[in-house]
Amino acid sequence: WESPQDVQYQDILYHRAEGIAKITINRPEVRNAFRPQTVRELIHAFQRAHLDPEIGSIILTGAGELAFCSGGDQRVRGHEGYQDAQGVESLNVLDLQRQIRTLPKPVVAMVAGYAIGGGHVLHLVCDLTIAAENARFGQTGPRVGSFDAGLGAGLLARTIGLKKAKEIWFLCRQYDAQEALAMGLVNAVVPLAELELVTVAWCRQMNRLSPTALRVLKAAFNADTDGLAGIQELAGNATALFYMTEEAQEGRNAFLERRPPDFRRFRRRP
Ligand code: 1HA
């Protein structure tokens, strides 16, 4: 892995190699709990990976072997959200969830240890999850006075079914990697020592495939649940592909050349 030196993060690490970006929450002393600063840095890093044309897929993970992420840092939980250094309180992880969901490249959660609370929702919004044998999954909201009634509930139900999703939220139990696999909550369970190897192999395999096909498919999986915003995302791909055609370029060229467009040579397909 190489680490670009132009941006220095406090709470996360950014690495890249072979068309793969690896974004690591680096707060192992709190089981990789996130504070607003962490989330801001994650948003920056995901934007960077999104815009980098060399990057085909993105890994999200946590530092160390004990946790992927334990959710919001309860030590900075204030009156109405999580407090940053300026005293502003927010729930900015929700912005990150939407970003991971909509950015047009596959995002793989690489989970060793705990994916708990808001950290569980983060793995959930990733496109794929590879779990180490020591991974443990669960929601804690009703125990710590919180809930994620957005993607945390709705996407969980869509992923593993309504009964199991309600069980996870209503009972706040923890589930091991094999139970998660049986529920369809993760894609694969591998020995801890092979976690990164396998995750990178999955990314390499995706990176060899058509980026446009993966891009449109990712949008397609969101389109129905996300309503007009989902259709917008899917339709943006149609517009981009249309821009690449001579038919669309005729419209632009005619405007720039101050002449009427001539679309007669473009056939109407059945
Ligand atoms: O629900 C939301 C949201 C909903 C809507 C919109 C936005 C949201 C944003 C966030 C969240 C949430 O994430 S709420 C859920 C918050 N997270 C939790 O309830 C999990 C809390 N942690 C644990 O249950 C456990 O620590 C653990 C199962 C992850 C690990 O247990 P373990 O291995 O026994 O370690 P433990 O001793 O508990 O933790 C190690 C250290 O990490 C402790 O600190 P130390 O005693 O060494 O000083 C512990 O306090 C710290 N730590 C762990 N998790 C957190 C944490 N510190 C702050 N915040 C944490 N989340």
Side-chain angles (χ1 to χ4, degrees):
W1 296 103
E2 57 151 39
S3 186
Q5 292 304 309
D6 55 323
V7 189
Q8 287 302 325
Y9 294 120
Q10 236 181 299
D11 289 6
I12 71 167
L13 304 169
Y14 187 89
H15 293 100
R16 38 173 288 170
E18 291 184 43
I20 305 166
K22 182 172 74 164
I23 300 172
T24 307
I25 304 174
N26 189 25
R27 307 184 77 217
E29 67 283 2
V30 284
R31 301 290 186 268
N32 296 318
F34 53 78
R35 54 179 180 169
Q37 169 79 14
T38 322
V39 172
R40 268 200 291 275
E41 292 180 5
L42 287 168
I43 289 172
H44 186 278
F46 271 103
Q47 175 75 353
R48 180 183 188 126
H50 174 178
L51 295 179
D52 185 341
E54 301 294 319
I55 297 298
S57 50
I58 304 165
I59 296 172
L60 175 63
T61 193
E65 299 177 349
L66 297 181
F68 169 77
C69 175
S70 63
D73 187 330
Q74 298 304 298
R75 299 170 309 176
V76 299
R77 183 167 150 189
H79 193 59
E80 54 192 47
Y82 295 85
Q83 209 171 74
D84 68 12
Q86 285 72 45
V88 177
E89 296 183 356
S90 70
L91 299 172
N92 64 345
V93 75
L94 300 177
D95 300 328
L96 174 65
Q97 293 175 6
R98 284 195 306 276
Q99 182 189 21
I100 293 173
R101 184 173 168 79
T102 55
L103 75 85
K105 297 174 180 179
V107 181
V108 185
M110 181 167 88
V111 178
Y114 290 102
I116 293 282
H120 185 260
V121 181
L122 280 184
H123 107 82
L124 180 68
V125 298
C126 292
D127 298 298
L128 301 169
T129 299
I130 312 290
E133 280 165 351
N134 76 337
R136 291 186 71 80
F137 300 87
Q139 298 294 160
T140 63
R143 193 163 58 230
V144 298
S146 183
F147 53 83
D148 184 335
L151 290 170
L155 186 60
L156 189 63
R158 203 175 155 78
T159 306
I160 61 170
L162 203 47
K163 294 281 181 189
K164 209 68 196 175
K166 287 180 178 175
E167 175 189 316
I168 288 178
W169 274 104
F170 290 177
L171 281 80
C172 295
R173 287 183 182 161
Q174 289 180 4
Y175 302 83
D176 67 24
Q178 285 303 334
E179 290 172 304
L181 185 65
M183 280 182 236
L185 188 58
V186 305
N187 297 88
V189 177
V190 300
L192 180 58
E194 292 167 27
L195 180 62
E196 183 155 308
L197 215 67
V198 173
T199 309
V200 166
W202 283 48
C203 287
R204 279 197 186 120
Q205 191 169 347
M206 290 189 287
N207 286 358
R208 284 195 292 269
L209 302 174
S210 154
T212 306
L214 294 183
R215 179 190 177 101
V216 177
L217 282 167
K218 177 159 174 174
F221 284 116
N222 294 337
D224 57 347
T225 29
D226 288 0
L228 262 187
I231 293 169
Q232 181 224 35
E233 195 186 305
L234 188 61
N237 289 294
T239 307
L241 290 169
F242 182 51
Y243 270 32
M244 297 173 204
T245 66
E246 280 184 36
E247 182 180 342
Q249 287 163 16
E250 166 60 14
R252 176 202 57 195
N253 293 345
F255 176 81
L256 292 176
E257 292 161 16
R258 299 174 188 278
R259 61 171 172 81
D262 179 4
F263 289 113
R264 280 173 304 180
R265 64 195 157 100
F266 303 107
R267 68 191 180 97
R268 292 184 172 77
R269 295 186 304 141

